[in-house]
């Protein structure tokens, strides 16, 4: 095995030689150091290494001594050599671990009295994962979505390994660059790209990004690897392990190391392991089954949550919505884990399935953020519901706006995970925002109208106002409209844009309320009684604690058909309309008591007749005799001649002939 470490002394001495040589070159005087190469190769300063005779190590030696060292991508030869050595060692590790875990390998170990060492198997798989991560470093993966890059790149690495094992490769000395293990990024005379002869597999030099200056398999090559694999998969392999590593990985469950129960599937008919669109037949069955079960469970859970009582309460509604969204997101993540790491789906199905789940997860996360912020506002309102200084409508609207912004930011980040360019997202949002602004102009006008109402402070929740002859209390001020509850409990909705333009009266904003009352007294009230009554009413108003000084006026206004009219005017201090009505009620009751104390009667609101004796006489009712309706004349009916029947016509014709 390539990864079997050499003896400790040779490895240590080799490493010490390397370190000493590096120290000598670093400690040289500047005049003794060789000059740096020019810029003809476009090598950035950050990637240049000192021009010194670096020791050439084989890739397998580097793997054994430096487990964290990346693949050597300093030249086309180094990239190809590193990739082949890494994948050959990875193939050995995976096959040995699988044979020890299941099959004849496990049987032979049990026969020899050696039980399976789980820790040893996990170490081999862990080392294989490290090697595969290095192999990914030989690829330009910028064209793959971040959401599926890890799993998709693993399949591409395995497919390229099988491709290179089945096509003729040129001798390594003929490939441009030094051998793998030098990590010499200062090589002169290298072209920016190199193509494997008689293929379309290109190794190109990266000019930007985190891999700048490295030679990797180009993005176009990475995109066409599945196509190349389908063309050569039936050709014989030069590998020491004849089994197709990609087919083994794609048709088996688990991650790299299939579980022991996979041997049961292998013992079934071979058609269960045949690949269709990158999936084995048994994987299609398992994927459909777990998706259907998850959908049924989520559907039942959502129905149960909808039937819970008290969903109309704001706090309870938000809590239940957050729980439902969290369960859905968690179920989708678990479903993706089962599909990716247990069933081990791959190919185009992996991209469609994972991208769909990833999209739903980010949407669900945005909904959770939105609902959580709304719940926070409801809890604040619930805690401070008795505080008059808190405007509940403003808090709800501001929190809703902030929650929408946070949800949009989260969705934007999720879109970048789906490999949607950020600049494209911003441009799309700008164009979409312009289109929405044109299409939703009335809605935006209402939103701006609501902001104007908030900024001016001309109306607040709870105010008693009159809008176009509609009086009532302002119940809520939303982002689009304002709701008013009238005195007859009717709910009236007025758009904020119209409300900001119209003239309305806010009675709650009045600093004083004017009380105007009229009392009609009977004609038999004497002048002395009127004088005493007016004087007592003035004293009563002057002593009232909420009456404005010098604002009370009591006058004999008129004598009309109803009686002798006394007008009372006053200005009282009241913060709300309810307080004003209570003060007015108090003044009316006190005035009626004063009228009663003077033995004066209030005139009735209908005409009264006074006889000579001064007693009240009710008007006489005139009885109108009923008029009998005239009988209707009978309509004259004309007798129409009877129609002659066909029989009589025939008899007459016979009589004429006779």
């Amino acid at each position: 095995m390539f990864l079997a470490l050499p003896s400790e002394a040779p490895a240590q001495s080799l490493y010490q030689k390397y370190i000493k040589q590096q120290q000598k070159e670093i400690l040289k005087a500047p005049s003794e150091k060789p000059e740096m190469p020019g810029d003809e190769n476009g090598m950035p300063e950050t990637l240049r290494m000192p021009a010194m005779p670096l020791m050439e190590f084989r890739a397998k030696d580097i793997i054994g001594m430096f487990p964290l060292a990346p693949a050597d991508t300093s030249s086309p030869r180094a990239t190809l050599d590193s990739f082949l050595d890494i994948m050959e060692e990875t193939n050995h590790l995976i096959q040995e671990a699988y044979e020890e875990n299941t099959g004849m390998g496990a049987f032979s170990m049990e026969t020899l009295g050696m039980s399976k060492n789980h820790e040893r198997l996990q170490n081999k798989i862990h080392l294989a994962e490290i090697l595969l991560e290095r192999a990914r470093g030989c690829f330009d993966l910028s064209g793959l979505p971040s959401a599926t890059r890890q799993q998709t790149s693993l399949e591409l690495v395995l497919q390229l390994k099988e491709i290179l094992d089945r096509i003729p490769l040129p001798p390594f000395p003929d490939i441009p660059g030094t051998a793998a293990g030098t990590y010499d990024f200062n090589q002169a005379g290298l072209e920016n790209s190199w193509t494997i002869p008689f293929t379309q597999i290109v190794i190109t030099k990266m000019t930007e990004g985190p891999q700048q200056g490295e030679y990797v398999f180009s993005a176009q090559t990475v995109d066409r690897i599945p196509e190349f694999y389908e063309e050569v998969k039936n050709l014989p392999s030069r590998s020491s392990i004849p089994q197709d590593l990609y087919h083994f990985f794609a048709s088996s469950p688990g991650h790299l190391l299939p579980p022991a129960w996979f041997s049961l599937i292998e013992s079934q008919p071979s058609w269960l392991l045949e690949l269709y669109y990158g999936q084995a037949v048994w994987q299609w069955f398992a994927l459909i089954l777990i998706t259907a079960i998850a959908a049924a469970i989520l559907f039942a859970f959502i129905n149960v949550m909808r039937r819970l009582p008290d969903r109309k309460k704001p706090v309870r509604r938000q809590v239940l919505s957050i729980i439902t969204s969290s369960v859905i997101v968690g179920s989708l993540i678990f479903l993706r884990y089962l599909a990716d790491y247990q069933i081990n789906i791959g190919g185009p199905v992996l991209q469609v399935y994972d991208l769909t789940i990833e999209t739903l997860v980010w949407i669900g996360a945005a909904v959770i953020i939105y609902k959580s912020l709304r719940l926070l506002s409801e809890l604040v309102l619930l805690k401070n519901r008795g505080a008059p200084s808190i405007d509940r409508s403003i808090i709800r609207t501001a929190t809703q706006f902030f929650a929408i912004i946070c949800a949009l930011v989260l969705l934007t980040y999720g879109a970048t995970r789906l490999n949607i360019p950020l600049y494209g997202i911003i441009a799309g949002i700008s164009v979409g925002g312009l289109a929405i602004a044109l299409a939703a102009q009335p809605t935006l006008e209402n939103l701006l109208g609501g902001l104007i109402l908030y900024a001016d402070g001309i109306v607040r929740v709870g105010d008693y106002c009159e809008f176009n002859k509609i009086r009532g209390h302002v119940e809520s001020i939303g982002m689009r409209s304002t709701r008013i509850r009238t005195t007859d409990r009717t709910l009236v909705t007025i758009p904020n844009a119209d409300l900001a333009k119209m003239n309305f009266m806010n009675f709650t904003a009045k600093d004083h309320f004017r009380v105007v009352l009229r009392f009609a007294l009977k004609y038999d009230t004497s002048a002395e009684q009127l004088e005493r009554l007016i004087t007592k009413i003035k004293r009563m108003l002057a002593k009232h604690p909420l009456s404005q000084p010098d604002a009370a006026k009591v006058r004999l206004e008129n004598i009309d058909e109803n009686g002798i009219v006394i007008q009372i005017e006053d200005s009282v201090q009241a913060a709300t309309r309810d307080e004003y009505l209570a003060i007015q009620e108090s003044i009316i009751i006190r005035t009626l008591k004063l009228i009663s104390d003077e033995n004066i009667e209030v005139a009735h609101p209908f005409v009264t007749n006074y006889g000579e004796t001064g007693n009240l006489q009710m008007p006489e009712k005139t009885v109108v005799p009923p008029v009998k309706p005239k009988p209707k004349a009978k309509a004259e009916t004309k007798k129409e001649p009877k129609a002659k029947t066909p029989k009589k016509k025939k008899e007459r014709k016979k009589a004429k002939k006779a």
Side-chain angles (χ1 to χ4, degrees):
M1 285 176 52
F2 290 146
L3 271 181
L5 291 175
S7 60
E8 184 177 355
Q12 187 175 3
S13 61
L14 187 61
Y15 180 74
Q16 289 175 351
K17 287 181 181 179
Y18 176 76
I19 294 299
K20 288 181 179 180
Q21 186 173 2
Q22 294 280 11
Q23 291 175 348
K24 289 180 181 179
E25 294 295 332
I26 293 173
L27 294 176
K28 281 183 179 180
S31 58
E32 298 177 359
K33 292 184 179 181
E35 295 182 358
M36 298 290 291
D39 294 333
E40 64 274 8
N41 294 327
M43 178 65 65
E45 292 291 337
T46 55
L47 291 178
R48 290 180 180 173
M49 299 178 65
M52 52 188 173
L54 296 175
M55 298 178 62
E56 292 189 5
F57 299 145
R58 289 183 57 81
K60 47 191 170 186
D61 298 330
I62 293 292
I63 293 171
M65 290 186 299
F66 311 112
L68 298 181
D72 187 359
T73 55
S74 59
S75 65
R77 177 182 176 181
T79 299
L80 185 60
D81 193 7
S82 297
F83 180 80
L84 291 175
D85 283 344
I86 289 172
M87 293 309 300
E88 185 175 356
E89 185 60 31
T90 303
N91 195 6
H92 280 283
L93 286 171
I94 294 176
Q95 293 298 332
E96 288 180 2
Y98 177 64
E99 290 176 359
E100 291 181 15
N101 192 41
T102 58
M104 295 302 296
F107 176 75
S108 61
M109 292 179 68
E110 291 178 0
T111 304
L112 296 174
M114 300 170 60
S115 60
K116 291 184 292 184
N117 190 335
H118 181 72
E119 184 178 357
R120 183 175 64 253
L121 294 179
Q122 292 300 321
N123 288 337
K124 288 186 177 181
I125 295 301
H126 178 65
L127 191 54
E129 290 176 349
I130 294 176
L131 295 177
L132 288 172
E133 189 63 32
R134 292 182 187 174
R136 288 189 182 97
C138 300
F139 285 41
D140 178 10
L141 302 175
S142 59
L144 298 180
S146 300
T148 60
R149 183 173 298 172
Q150 189 74 11
Q151 193 75 0
T152 304
S153 62
L154 176 59
E155 295 182 359
L156 295 175
V157 165
L158 299 178
Q159 287 178 335
L160 183 60
K161 184 262 179 191
E162 296 300 328
I163 293 171
L164 297 178
D165 285 345
R166 286 167 169 78
I167 63 174
L169 297 176
F172 279 95
D174 296 342
I175 302 176
T178 58
T182 61
Y183 293 91
D184 184 6
F185 288 90
N186 297 322
Q187 301 178 44
L190 295 179
E191 297 182 357
N192 290 332
S193 64
W194 176 77
T195 304
I196 298 178
F198 305 105
T199 68
Q200 296 178 342
I201 301 175
V202 180
I203 298 177
T204 185
K205 184 179 181 180
M206 299 294 292
T207 58
E208 58 183 3
Q211 293 178 304
Q212 186 177 7
E214 299 182 22
Y215 284 88
V216 296
F217 292 97
S218 65
Q220 293 78 10
T221 301
V222 171
D223 187 53
R224 299 188 62 185
I225 284 177
E227 176 188 346
F228 297 154
Y229 173 77
E230 291 296 327
E231 294 176 358
V232 302
K233 65 180 181 180
N234 295 324
L235 298 178
S237 174
R238 297 189 306 272
S239 176
S240 58
I241 301 177
Q243 185 176 10
D244 189 331
L245 181 59
Y246 168 72
H247 187 279
F248 171 77
F249 171 78
S251 61
S252 61
H255 184 65
L256 295 182
L257 180 63
W261 56 264
F262 180 59
S263 58
L264 298 176
I265 297 179
E266 288 183 312
S267 62
Q268 301 302 318
S270 59
W271 59 268
L272 284 175
L273 297 176
E274 293 181 2
L275 297 180
Y276 294 94
Y277 297 99
Q279 311 299 309
V281 175
W282 75 268
Q283 290 174 323
W284 280 109
F285 290 150
L287 182 63
I288 295 173
L289 180 62
I290 65 170
T291 304
I293 293 175
I297 293 175
L298 287 178
F299 181 76
F301 174 76
I302 293 173
N303 285 337
V304 171
M305 296 297 289
R306 286 180 176 177
R307 294 176 182 176
L308 292 178
D310 298 334
R311 285 188 61 90
K312 294 183 178 180
K313 296 181 179 180
V315 175
R316 185 178 179 86
R317 182 175 65 250
Q318 298 295 342
V319 170
L320 293 179
S321 180
I322 292 173
I323 293 175
T324 303
S325 302
S326 301
V327 170
I328 293 175
V329 170
S331 301
L332 290 174
I333 294 175
F334 182 69
L335 183 63
R336 180 179 177 180
Y337 165 77
L338 292 178
D340 290 357
Y341 297 102
Q342 298 302 319
I343 300 177
N344 192 26
I345 63 173
V349 177
L350 168 70
Q351 295 190 12
V352 174
Y353 198 81
D354 280 10
L355 289 179
T356 302
I357 291 181
E358 185 86 5
T359 303
L360 295 177
V361 166
W362 284 109
I363 293 175
V367 171
I368 293 173
I369 291 293
Y370 176 80
K371 295 292 184 181
S372 299
L373 293 175
R374 292 293 303 274
L375 175 62
L376 182 62
S377 68
E378 294 296 337
L379 292 176
V380 171
L381 294 176
L382 185 65
K383 183 179 179 181
N384 300 276
R385 57 184 175 182
S389 60
I390 295 181
D391 194 332
R392 304 172 69 87
S393 180
I394 294 178
I395 292 178
R396 282 197 179 97
T397 304
T399 306
Q400 186 176 5
F401 182 76
F402 180 70
I404 291 174
I405 295 298
C406 292
L408 289 177
V409 171
L410 190 63
L411 288 176
T412 302
Y413 175 75
T416 58
R417 290 274 302 170
L418 301 176
N419 213 34
I420 301 176
L422 183 60
Y423 294 109
I425 296 173
I426 296 175
I429 292 176
S430 302
V431 176
L434 180 60
I436 292 174
L438 294 176
Q441 186 175 359
T443 303
L444 294 177
E445 289 181 356
N446 293 327
L447 177 60
L448 293 177
L451 295 177
I452 291 173
L453 294 177
Y454 290 147
D456 292 347
I458 55 179
V459 63
R460 289 182 174 274
V461 176
D463 290 356
Y464 184 79
C465 305
E466 179 179 344
F467 309 89
N468 288 344
K469 299 182 180 180
I470 299 175
R471 289 193 177 190
H473 289 86
V474 178
E475 193 168 85
S476 66
I477 302 176
M479 297 181 64
R480 193 193 67 85
S481 61
T482 298
R483 297 180 180 180
I484 301 169
R485 182 75 66 177
T486 61
T487 54
D488 60 352
R489 306 304 299 167
T490 302
L491 186 63
V492 180
T493 301
I494 302 177
N496 289 333
D498 297 339
L499 186 61
K501 296 176 183 178
M502 69 172 56
N503 297 324
F504 63 90
M505 293 184 291
N506 190 341
F507 298 104
T508 306
K510 295 172 64 175
D511 54 352
H512 296 88
F513 285 82
R514 185 167 174 261
V515 178
V516 179
L517 302 174
R518 288 180 175 84
F519 293 90
L521 307 179
K522 287 186 177 181
Y523 291 121
D524 56 359
T525 304
S526 63
E528 292 79 5
Q529 288 177 319
L530 289 174
E531 289 179 354
R532 289 195 300 270
L533 178 61
I534 292 173
T535 302
K536 290 182 179 180
I537 293 175
K538 288 182 179 180
R539 292 176 182 173
M540 181 267 295
L541 294 177
K543 294 180 180 179
H544 199 284
L546 298 178
S547 177
Q548 293 292 317
D550 301 330
K553 297 178 181 179
V554 183
R555 295 186 179 89
L556 180 61
E557 183 183 32
N558 194 9
I559 299 177
D560 55 16
E561 65 275 5
N562 293 325
I564 303 173
V565 180
I566 294 179
Q567 181 181 0
I568 301 175
E569 294 184 11
D570 195 8
S571 181
V572 296
Q573 295 179 354
T576 62
R577 178 173 173 79
D578 293 336
E579 293 182 8
Y580 156 70
L581 294 176
I583 296 172
Q584 180 177 263
E585 178 184 351
S586 173
I587 293 175
I588 293 174
I589 293 175
R590 293 183 183 185
T591 303
L592 290 176
K593 288 182 179 180
L594 294 176
I595 293 173
S596 178
D597 292 342
E598 292 296 329
N599 295 323
I600 302 174
E601 295 183 3
V602 179
H604 296 281
F606 51 81
V607 178
T608 56
N609 295 327
Y610 294 89
E612 295 179 356
T613 59
N615 296 327
L616 178 64
Q617 296 180 356
M618 299 301 294
E620 297 180 357
K621 295 182 180 179
T622 58
V623 180
V624 180
V627 180
K628 294 182 179 180
K630 295 181 180 181
K632 295 182 180 180
K634 294 182 179 180
E636 296 181 358
T637 57
K638 295 182 180 180
K639 294 183 179 180
E640 297 181 357
K642 295 182 179 180
K644 297 180 180 180
T645 60
K647 290 183 178 181
K648 292 182 178 181
K649 290 182 179 180
K650 290 180 180 180
E651 291 177 356
R652 289 178 181 176
K653 288 181 180 180
K654 289 180 180 180
K656 288 181 180 180
K657 290 180 180 180

